[in-house]
């Protein structure tokens, strides 16, 4: 996959657990896990916005494009 998800990196930097992030952004821990592992086919802008707001970051901090 060419899009790499770095939510775990930002969680570590903010010293936050996945279940806390999921609760604060209003999604299930299972859906957050799917996103973190790169298995998600799409991400709603509202979810991306909530993640960025809670983690105090930019979309580019949690997603990056890597040529294969």
């Amino acid at each position: 996959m060419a899009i790499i998800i770095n939510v775990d990196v930002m969680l570590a930097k903010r010293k936050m657990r996945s279940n806390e992030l999921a609760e604060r952004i209003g999604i299930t821990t299972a859906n957050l896990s799917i996103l973190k592992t790169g298995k998600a086919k799409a991400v709603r802008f509202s979810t991306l916005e909530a993640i960025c707001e809670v983690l105090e970051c930019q979309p580019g901090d949690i997603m990056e494009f890597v040529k294969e």
Side-chain angles (χ1 to χ4, degrees):
M1 173 182 259
I3 302 293
I4 306 299
I5 305 297
N6 294 317
V7 172
D8 280 336
V9 173
M10 291 307 297
L11 283 169
K13 285 182 180 180
R14 301 299 187 254
K15 297 180 178 164
M16 186 182 294
R17 294 169 95 25
S18 294
N19 58 350
E20 180 184 351
L21 177 62
E23 183 178 312
R24 289 180 64 181
I25 64 174
I27 66 172
T28 65
T29 54
N31 283 341
L32 181 59
S33 178
I34 289 168
L35 176 62
K36 288 179 6 179
T37 58
K39 294 179 182 175
K41 300 293 182 195
V43 179
R44 291 178 188 237
F45 281 129
S46 59
T47 301
L48 182 59
E49 180 181 357
I51 291 170
C52 290
E53 187 174 328
V54 170
L55 294 178
E56 298 178 353
C57 65
Q58 294 294 313
D61 296 328
I62 57 175
M63 288 195 271
E64 68 179 290
F65 173 76
V66 179
K67 285 188 177 183
E68 293 182 339

